[in-house]
Amino acid sequence: MVVQNHYLTYCTGSALTVIEGLPMAKKMRDKLEMLFALTDMVSSYQKLETSYNECKCEKGQDPIHFITELRKHNKCLVKVDTKYAKDEYTVKVHFIGWLPKEYHQMITKYREDELMKVALADLEKDLHEEYELLKSNGMIKKSEFVMSTSDKEKKKNTFNGECFNCGKKWHRASECRSKKR
């Protein structure tokens, strides 16, 4: 069995065709595919579900980008298995629930009853119009979203050691502004 398992793992092309023709090898391959396919599917689902749940509209971000991300996540979930698809109402609830506080009028407008009645495309259109209105009134600045994204990157990439060039903390020699030694 170990030898056949090895062949199944490393054979390709015509050699694989010959080995797959053997009854024992075919049974083993089917077993392996089933075992690993289930594991991959479960881990993919868990990652996608977590990613979907963490999706939110950042301050200064156009809600169109947010809903596009939700749709992408939903399509990926469907690829894993159609039973994981989020229905339109669930997407709308997530969409409204993760809007920044600047959209409080829209959040109030679309309470449960109204949210059930409105189509996702109409909700998307209303929120985009609200975004444009907030932007024109100066309540949302395009740079806010860019700053929040770069702040996250700075936190993620903060170096706590000392520079090998100047000896100061918080940056690497490759990022050093001092003259090279």
Side-chain angles (χ1 to χ4, degrees):
M1 275 217 178
V2 173
V3 173
Q4 287 178 338
N5 188 5
H6 176 75
Y7 284 134
L8 287 173
T9 306
Y10 295 103
C11 284
T12 59
S14 58
L16 180 61
T17 308
V18 170
I19 289 174
E20 282 183 331
L22 301 171
M24 185 62 149
K26 178 138 176 60
K27 284 180 188 175
M28 282 179 37
R29 182 174 180 89
D30 291 344
K31 251 186 190 179
L32 287 169
E33 280 181 355
M34 188 153 161
L35 282 170
F36 290 108
L38 287 174
T39 305
D40 289 347
M41 190 173 87
V42 169
S43 76
S44 292
Y45 166 71
Q46 290 168 340
K47 287 176 187 172
L48 287 168
E49 185 70 23
T50 300
S51 182
Y52 177 90
N53 290 331
E54 290 173 350
C55 228
K56 63 181 181 178
C57 189
E58 300 288 341
K59 184 176 180 180
Q61 179 185 20
D62 187 340
I64 296 292
H65 299 296
F66 175 43
I67 195 69
T68 302
E69 283 301 307
L70 288 178
R71 283 192 174 122
K72 283 181 191 174
H73 281 80
N74 204 16
K75 282 181 184 177
C76 291
L77 284 166
V78 170
K79 285 181 184 176
V80 172
D81 196 329
T82 54
K83 69 182 178 186
Y84 298 131
K86 306 287 184 197
D87 63 16
E88 189 172 291
Y89 182 71
T90 305
V91 173
K92 290 187 290 188
V93 168
H94 187 95
F95 189 42
I96 288 292
W98 284 104
L99 287 171
K101 61 186 175 194
E102 291 82 15
Y103 293 92
H104 65 277
Q105 289 179 334
M106 299 304 286
I107 295 166
T108 304
K109 178 181 175 182
Y110 289 109
R111 294 284 180 197
E112 281 184 41
D113 295 338
E114 287 299 315
L115 196 57
M116 289 180 94
K117 293 176 191 173
V118 70
L120 185 58
D122 294 335
L123 176 64
E124 189 176 345
K125 183 181 169 199
D126 282 356
L127 282 162
H128 180 68
E129 287 172 2
E130 181 72 10
Y131 168 76
E132 291 298 330
L133 181 68
L134 290 169
K135 201 166 76 170
S136 68
N137 292 339
M139 296 181 76
I140 290 180
K141 297 177 185 119
K142 186 68 177 168
S143 62
E144 287 181 61
F145 177 62
V146 174
M147 281 178 20
S148 69
T149 305
S150 62
D151 287 347
K152 286 179 190 173
E153 288 299 315
K154 283 178 187 173
K155 286 179 187 174
K156 203 187 310 180
N157 296 327
T158 302
F159 179 68
N160 295 330
E162 291 181 6
C163 172
F164 289 126
N165 185 43
C166 68
K168 294 180 183 175
K169 285 190 167 203
W170 308 113
H171 68 273
R172 293 179 171 91
S174 62
E175 302 163 342
C176 189
R177 294 185 199 169
S178 301
K179 289 184 179 180
K180 304 279 183 214
R181 288 191 218 176

